[in-house]
Amino acid sequence: MKLRRIRWLTGFFLLGLVLSGATAIPLPSETDWLARFSNAQWLVRVHTALVQTQLQYQFLFYGTDWLAFGHFVIAIAFIGALKDPIRNRWLFDFGIIACALVVPWALVFGAIRGIPIWWRLIDCSFGILGFIPLWFCRIWAKELEERKY
């Protein structure tokens, strides 16, 4: 039963990584939808900046393409935890550390870049939401490992 829960939560985390990575690619169309849906002035401003950047400096989006790639590669690594969560328990530690680092990273660099605090908190929530399932997976994998030996 614990093994099934570990695999389910690991799959959930993996899916989150893939979806998060995939959303880093079509930024202008995504922000267009978000700006229309929310009518938030910040999102309208972001969308305008992305459209202008796309028209004049499309090569800058190469950075977000690599951001997406990083998400996909990390997701691939978590396939090891999905297959054998006990032997690959270290991946849960890695993920927990990475998720914990999202919070100071978003707060510090968001402030430097002039990102509104409410958006930085949304970014922080991804780290927190990723941390929770990985924490349980780590605990349960450790319990299963201790039972095995």
Side-chain angles (χ1 to χ4, degrees):
M1 188 66 167
K2 279 187 183 172
L3 188 59
R4 184 180 301 151
R5 283 187 276 172
I6 292 170
R7 288 192 171 131
W8 191 90
L9 287 177
T10 302
F12 173 76
F13 182 77
L14 204 150
L15 180 64
L17 280 169
V18 170
L19 292 175
S20 182
T23 62
I25 298 170
L27 290 178
S29 59
E30 285 177 336
T31 57
D32 179 46
W33 181 83
L34 284 171
R36 287 178 198 222
F37 177 75
S38 70
N39 205 24
Q41 195 58 37
W42 168 252
L43 292 175
V44 171
R45 183 175 177 217
V46 169
H47 175 65
T48 301
L50 287 171
V51 169
Q52 289 176 357
T53 301
Q54 187 178 34
L55 291 172
Q56 296 177 349
Y57 308 106
Q58 179 144 358
F59 61 88
L60 288 175
F61 288 99
Y62 192 54
T64 58
D65 297 338
W66 279 106
L67 172 67
F69 177 77
H71 279 77
F72 298 151
V73 169
I74 294 167
I76 290 167
F78 272 89
I79 292 172
L82 196 61
K83 286 184 173 182
D84 190 345
I86 297 168
R87 191 174 80 200
N88 294 306
R89 188 167 50 98
W90 67 272
L91 282 164
F92 300 128
D93 294 331
F94 164 76
I96 286 169
I97 292 166
C99 286
L101 289 173
V102 166
V103 175
W105 198 269
L107 293 175
V108 169
F109 286 100
I112 290 169
R113 305 291 184 207
I115 307 300
I117 188 67
W118 63 269
W119 192 264
R120 286 182 268 158
L121 293 175
I122 290 171
D123 288 340
C124 290
S125 74
F126 287 102
I128 295 164
L129 291 174
F131 183 97
I132 294 168
L134 294 175
W135 180 258
F136 283 110
C137 288
R138 182 185 186 278
I139 291 170
W140 294 334
K142 191 173 183 179
E143 288 174 4
L144 289 175
E145 182 180 43
E146 289 171 355
R147 269 197 239 160
K148 197 173 185 180
Y149 299 104

